[in-house]
Amino acid sequence: MKHFLLVAFVSALAFSASAQCDEWKWPEDKKTAEEKNVLYNDALRNDDFEKAKGPHQWLLQNAPDLHSAIYINGEKIYKGLVEAADDAGNDDAKQNYVDSLMLIYDMRAQYCNNEADVVLKKAYSAYRYNIKQKSQMPVILELFDKAYELNGNNMDYYMILPYMSTVQYNAKYVKNLSDTQILDYYERIQGIIDYQIENKSKQSIVDKLKDYKGTVDGILVGLVNIDCDFVRTNLGPKFQENPNDLKLAKKIFGFMLNGKCTDDPLWLQAGETIMANEPDFGIAKSLGAKFKAADEDEKATKYFNQALTLTEDPDKKADIYIQLGSMKSGSAARELYRKALQVDPSKSEAYSAIGYLYYSSFDQCAGKEDMIKDRAVFLAAYDMFQRAGNTKMMNSAKEQFPSKEEIFTFNYTAGDEVSVGCWIGVTTTIRSRD
């Protein structure tokens, strides 16, 4: 049977490949061809793949450009034969049928001029039936590569995971791929996913594609030890040659983030490239925090301010205002903390931050003439810590309140209002620590 199909295929190549197979093109012996067409179709409708095989083979040999239907149905016939042989445990017959199925795809591409579509089907079937055979793994990878070459990012989405899985099999068992080649495949496949997420209209498919991203990431991690040294050695030099390479920047940023080496200048450089091309709130916030920790306040402020423009989420905006406030002092810091509370009144951290400003201002603001007014900064700090629910700092502030004796000595009464001077400029209530 396999030999018969091979003969049919070889003889088929002698015909012109100009036909599109969308119109019926009967051979000289039309009567016999019509009979064979009816016979194999009747058998196929009854799932009698063995009976369909004979008349179908006659058409392949004698009328290979008859119509695309003989290839569409031929795929069904040989898949049915493969499954039947598999169920029967007949491995030799199964492989013969798989080989014949591959020839069906080749003939369809040759006669119907639709190689881009056919190679997708062939790659997927080869993966389905042959991927466990070590000798076939490189062949299947070549098929997927050809499918990508012809279809680009428009490869059918169901091909994505088999493609990455084929890379995995080749890397683990054939060992024919270097770490750099694996990374190249990873980037290509993630690029397909990203493109299709942006261009698919069905949310159900988009959801699947997003799941695929995580699966592909997991396969990569199992194949390559992508630690920070690997990124510096293999990706760093490429990035230095072209620091505007957005795709490479994203790769470096993500790998080094996972590797927890975000203090590396390479990570920061990659992040800045991403921000220059595709501004993102999370990256802006991360860069701002890193530059702040490095005392590069100008850059930190730049990215924090950019982050504010990239979100409308009150909680996120409040976080950024708090970050900005922590880089200032006195009234300038308080103004930013108050902005955090304006966008998100529930942001208790902002109240605590103001409380710390007041608490730490004693030496700056104390006039050293009126102890009650001097210690009013701790009363005001207590008020802020109380609004934040920060009981630990409430207790610390209370320890700095004036005593009952001091309140009496300076001619005040507990419960009276007192103005807090200096830059603070608020009113609070006199309380004692005892």
Side-chain angles (χ1 to χ4, degrees):
M1 179 277 305
K2 179 179 175 182
H3 176 72
F4 187 89
L5 256 187
L6 182 60
V7 170
F9 177 60
V10 171
S11 60
L13 296 180
F15 286 80
S16 169
S18 61
Q20 296 297 319
C21 299
D22 53 2
E23 295 182 2
W24 289 93
K25 186 177 180 181
W26 296 100
E28 184 176 348
D29 188 358
K30 182 179 179 181
K31 180 179 178 181
T32 302
E34 287 178 329
E35 290 175 355
K36 299 295 185 183
N37 192 56
V38 170
L39 286 172
Y40 96 77
N41 273 287
D42 285 345
L44 182 59
R45 275 191 290 271
N46 293 317
D47 291 335
D48 191 341
F49 306 113
E50 187 65 38
K51 188 175 181 180
K53 183 177 60 175
H56 182 265
Q57 286 178 348
W58 188 95
L59 290 172
L60 289 177
Q61 186 177 29
N62 295 279
D65 57 349
L66 177 64
H67 194 272
S68 60
I70 64 173
Y71 297 112
I72 295 170
N73 289 331
E75 183 179 11
K76 295 176 184 177
I77 291 169
Y78 283 95
K79 282 184 176 180
L81 291 168
V82 169
E83 298 298 334
D86 188 46
D87 291 342
N90 191 337
D91 293 338
D92 289 340
K94 176 183 175 182
Q95 190 57 54
N96 279 337
Y97 290 136
V98 170
D99 293 343
S100 293
L101 177 62
M102 297 300 108
L103 290 175
I104 290 285
Y105 292 127
D106 291 336
M107 291 181 70
R108 182 175 180 183
Q110 174 70 21
Y111 275 92
C112 299
N113 277 350
N114 56 350
E115 185 181 14
D117 179 59
V118 173
V119 74
L120 288 170
K121 300 178 185 297
K122 183 177 180 181
Y124 186 78
S125 290
Y127 171 81
R128 180 180 177 186
Y129 298 122
N130 283 340
I131 192 59
K132 297 295 181 66
Q133 298 182 44
K134 187 175 179 179
S135 64
Q136 290 297 309
M137 292 174 189
V139 177
I140 298 170
L141 185 57
E142 288 180 6
L143 283 172
F144 275 100
D145 290 342
K146 184 69 172 179
Y148 178 77
E149 177 188 331
L150 294 173
N151 294 274
N153 290 329
N154 289 309
M155 289 177 68
D156 291 335
Y157 75 93
Y158 65 82
M159 298 283 288
I160 292 170
L161 291 186
Y163 196 178
M164 190 64 189
S165 180
T166 300
V167 172
Q168 180 184 31
Y169 274 99
N170 276 271
K172 288 183 67 174
Y173 301 111
V174 185
K175 302 188 185 303
N176 57 347
L177 298 174
S178 67
D179 287 349
T180 301
Q181 288 174 310
I182 294 169
L183 278 175
D184 288 342
Y185 275 116
Y186 167 81
E187 181 181 359
R188 171 185 291 183
I189 292 168
Q190 288 288 27
I192 297 170
I193 296 173
D194 291 338
Y195 174 84
Q196 295 199 11
I197 286 176
E198 292 178 7
N199 292 279
K200 291 294 183 184
S201 58
K202 288 187 177 180
Q203 187 59 44
S204 60
I205 295 179
V206 171
D207 292 340
K208 286 182 180 180
L209 289 166
K210 289 179 178 179
D211 287 341
Y212 290 173
K213 287 183 73 70
T215 303
V216 171
D217 283 342
I219 292 174
L220 177 69
V221 170
L223 296 177
V224 181
N225 181 25
I226 307 178
D227 57 15
C228 296
D229 287 337
F230 179 91
V231 175
R232 293 187 198 100
T233 302
N234 292 276
L235 304 183
K238 293 181 181 179
F239 189 60
Q240 299 309 325
E241 291 177 5
N242 185 8
N244 295 316
D245 187 333
L246 180 59
K247 286 187 177 181
L248 185 57
K250 288 180 177 180
K251 189 187 299 184
I252 290 170
F253 190 88
F255 288 153
M256 297 191 91
L257 183 64
N258 290 335
K260 299 180 180 178
C261 44
T262 55
D263 292 327
D264 195 297
L266 179 61
W267 183 81
L268 290 170
Q269 187 181 359
E272 290 191 280
T273 295
I274 297 171
M275 286 300 300
N277 292 276
E278 293 182 359
D280 174 83
F281 171 82
I283 295 177
K285 180 180 178 181
S286 296
L287 291 179
K290 285 298 176 182
F291 284 120
K292 172 188 164 187
D295 293 325
E296 295 189 47
D297 289 355
E298 185 176 345
K299 278 194 169 184
T301 300
K302 168 189 171 182
Y303 286 110
F304 282 140
N305 283 330
Q306 192 171 4
L308 287 173
T309 69
L310 295 170
T311 182
E312 295 302 323
D313 184 286
D315 180 68
K316 291 179 178 179
K317 279 186 175 289
D319 282 339
I320 298 301
Y321 280 123
I322 290 172
Q323 289 276 17
L324 286 166
S326 68
M327 298 165 61
K328 303 290 184 180
S329 61
S331 60
R334 180 177 62 185
E335 179 61 24
L336 289 162
Y337 295 140
R338 284 176 172 173
K339 283 185 176 181
L341 290 166
Q342 286 172 7
V343 297
D344 186 357
S346 68
K347 207 68 177 176
S348 61
E349 301 97 310
Y351 287 116
S352 269
I354 296 172
Y356 282 113
L357 286 175
Y358 294 169
Y359 188 91
S360 61
S361 66
F362 178 80
D363 291 337
Q364 176 190 358
C365 293
K368 304 197 189 266
E369 292 180 359
D370 187 327
M371 179 181 290
I372 306 306
K373 284 191 174 182
D374 289 348
R375 290 193 171 271
V377 295
F378 297 111
L379 297 170
Y382 181 95
D383 295 340
M384 293 296 103
F385 291 135
Q386 186 176 43
R387 296 189 73 171
N390 188 339
T391 55
K392 179 181 179 180
M393 289 307 299
M394 286 169 61
N395 293 332
S396 294
K398 186 174 181 180
E399 291 174 358
Q400 303 301 321
F401 286 2
S403 67
K404 290 177 181 179
E405 182 179 351
E406 289 167 340
I407 293 172
F408 176 78
T409 299
F410 284 87
N411 200 28
Y412 288 95
T413 302
D416 286 351
E417 287 190 346
V418 62
S419 296
V420 185
C422 197
W423 64 269
I424 298 175
V426 300
T427 300
T428 187
T429 303
I430 298 174
R431 286 148 286 175
S432 68
R433 64 177 178 263
D434 51 6

